[in-house]
Amino acid sequence: MEEKLRTILKEARAEIVSANFSDYEQLRIKYLGRKSALARSLRKIKDLPEKARRDMGELGNRIKREIIQLLNDLKDKAKDKARDGRSASFDPTCPGIVPDLGRLHPITQIIDDLIEYFRGLGFSVAEGPEVELEKYNFDLLNIPDNHPARDEWDTFWVNRKEGSKNNTLLRTHTSPVQLRYMKSHKAPIRIIAPGRTFRYEAEDATHGSVFYQLEGLMIDKNITVANLKAVIDAMVKHILGEDVETRLRPSYFPFTEPSYEVDAWFGGKWLELMGCGMVSRKVLKNGGVDPDEYSGFAFGMGIERLIMLKYGIKDIRYFYQPNFDFLKQF
Ligand code: PHE
């Protein structure tokens, strides 16, 4: 009797442990059903002498409990699998697995938005290299060597030999695209040039050594400060809201004449948004444009700063960290 019971358990264990949930019901009947070997053996216990009856009764019940446990484990295994999504059997009552959807970075979103907006005004998109020639970044923009304005653009040099014409650097602004475009296209010109720029400076909440600018350049006959003001005002209203006022404040850039800073009245304060001005005669000439026939305006705007103002973001470094909690808010 004892041997018989132990054999039943051994068999049940071997079979149930390696079984699939789809075999559950069949195994339950085979090992616990009324006609199972176990049930038949248990029925015979009552005919045994008293001591054996007690021992076999105990053993039989223990074996029965163990088989029930094995079958329950089989059920749990099936549930775990369904939860992992690896099961062939699909349980429609399980909660779904929601994937984390990717999205465009807020900087990409605002650049896309501005490209779309300026397309509507007849502007096309131009690009220039991030590793730029010194002459495009500085000289042709009327910023000669030793000019004090070069101090404003602390530079990451890639190649620098005294007096060489082939010095390269990481562009400190997107303005060199103005020259590249003027040299390769005939006026009239209407372009924006969004892109990455680099400055060698200590990083903090409002300064990054890598940041984005959006350059604008419009050259045609009879372009005046009125056109400059109208385009910039419309762009700022598009991004920050129709009720946002702008103003031009006199400033200085070596490549524009006159030059201005654009301020926007936002959140109860005048906030500086970008530099701009009328492209200087000298720079037009450098680009192969006749300044007696054409005039134009240019502006250069920091993109991160604009997004920070718009959404009240306090630290520019958020844009460059893989922080999904930040990024998924846009
Ligand atoms: N390039 C200037 C800067 O980075 C901005 C600017 C662009 C000013 C075009 C005037 C015209 O500060």
Side-chain angles (χ1 to χ4, degrees):
M1 181 71 148
E2 180 172 349
E3 182 129 338
K4 175 96 181 133
L5 287 170
R6 290 195 191 283
T7 312
I8 290 171
L9 177 61
K10 220 194 276 165
E11 247 185 71
R13 205 182 267 148
E15 197 172 8
I16 296 172
V17 161
S18 61
N20 286 319
F21 180 64
S22 53
D23 302 324
Y24 173 85
E25 192 54 21
Q26 184 207 326
L27 290 170
R28 193 187 63 79
I29 292 166
K30 176 169 174 186
Y31 289 106
L32 297 176
R34 270 185 340 106
K35 291 179 190 152
S36 63
L38 179 65
R40 271 184 276 128
S41 301
L42 291 179
R43 274 198 293 274
K44 281 185 204 144
I45 287 175
K46 64 177 191 317
D47 304 328
L48 296 173
E50 185 179 344
K51 162 111 173 62
R53 196 161 72 214
R54 220 180 31 235
D55 289 351
M56 289 306 108
E58 228 166 68
L59 181 66
N61 276 327
R62 222 177 55 227
I63 287 173
K64 188 172 176 177
R65 276 200 303 276
E66 189 160 334
I67 293 177
I68 290 171
Q69 187 58 48
L70 286 166
L71 286 164
N72 283 342
D73 289 349
L74 179 61
K75 233 195 253 174
D76 288 347
K77 202 167 75 185
K79 270 196 216 143
D80 287 349
K81 263 196 183 169
R83 226 172 282 132
D84 291 350
R86 275 187 267 109
S87 171
S89 62
F90 174 69
D91 180 352
T93 64
C94 284
I97 298 163
V98 182
D100 276 339
L101 284 184
R103 63 190 67 217
L104 295 176
H105 192 280
I107 293 175
T108 309
Q109 286 185 34
I110 207 155
I111 288 175
D112 286 353
D113 182 341
L114 285 163
I115 288 174
E116 202 54 40
Y117 181 73
F118 274 101
R119 275 218 179 105
L121 299 180
F123 285 64
S124 38
V125 178
E127 284 186 310
E130 291 176 352
V131 176
E132 184 54 281
L133 285 164
E134 178 181 15
K135 75 173 178 185
Y136 281 106
N137 196 85
F138 290 131
D139 302 80
L140 293 174
L141 285 164
N142 197 30
I143 317 172
D145 217 357
N146 305 322
H147 191 290
R150 287 208 187 195
D151 299 341
E152 283 175 45
W153 292 284
D154 281 349
T155 307
F156 287 114
W157 291 92
V158 177
N159 259 306
R160 190 179 203 186
K161 266 204 214 99
E162 203 63 54
S164 165
K165 294 239 174 307
N166 299 318
N167 287 337
T168 48
L169 46 78
L170 300 183
R171 65 178 177 189
T172 59
H173 50 175
T174 41
S175 299
V177 184
Q178 292 185 35
L179 266 303
R180 287 187 172 271
Y181 202 88
M182 281 188 244
K183 279 170 163 283
S184 55
H185 296 77
K186 278 200 157 65
I189 287 169
R190 281 186 210 187
I191 52 154
I192 53 166
R196 217 167 2 182
T197 52
F198 309 85
R199 288 187 200 175
Y200 184 51
E201 55 190 350
E203 301 204 341
D204 61 25
T206 53
H207 297 87
S209 50
V210 180
F211 56 102
Y212 279 77
Q213 284 192 339
L214 183 105
E215 192 82 8
L217 174 66
M218 179 169 182
I219 297 174
D220 209 330
K221 291 182 172 147
N222 304 315
I223 297 294
T224 68
V225 175
N227 302 106
L228 162 79
K229 196 171 157 105
V231 168
I232 287 178
D233 187 71
M235 163 177 72
V236 171
K237 285 184 160 63
H238 171 70
I239 297 290
L240 294 181
E242 285 302 317
D243 53 338
V244 173
E245 300 282 327
T246 61
R247 71 176 183 192
L248 297 182
R249 187 160 41 83
S251 183
Y252 173 76
F253 298 98
F255 36 94
T256 47
E257 162 89 72
S259 305
Y260 308 96
E261 298 288 341
V262 179
D263 295 335
W265 181 258
F266 190 72
K269 287 197 279 255
W270 285 110
L271 297 166
E272 187 177 310
L273 276 191
M274 71 191 95
C276 64
M278 302 305 290
V279 181
S280 77
R281 290 175 63 86
K282 196 162 174 190
V283 170
L284 288 173
K285 269 189 224 158
N286 289 345
V289 176
D290 179 356
D292 292 324
E293 199 182 349
Y294 289 102
S295 56
F297 67 78
F299 62 86
M301 178 174 66
I303 304 254
E304 287 87 347
R305 194 173 146 67
L306 188 66
I307 310 175
M308 288 167 76
L309 290 179
K310 180 168 176 167
Y311 297 111
I313 297 162
K314 294 281 179 284
D315 196 320
I316 195 171
R317 289 167 291 199
Y318 279 123
F319 292 111
Y320 299 100
Q321 289 163 355
N323 178 347
F324 201 60
D325 284 339
F326 172 75
L327 296 172
K328 73 183 172 191
Q329 296 178 54
F330 298 93

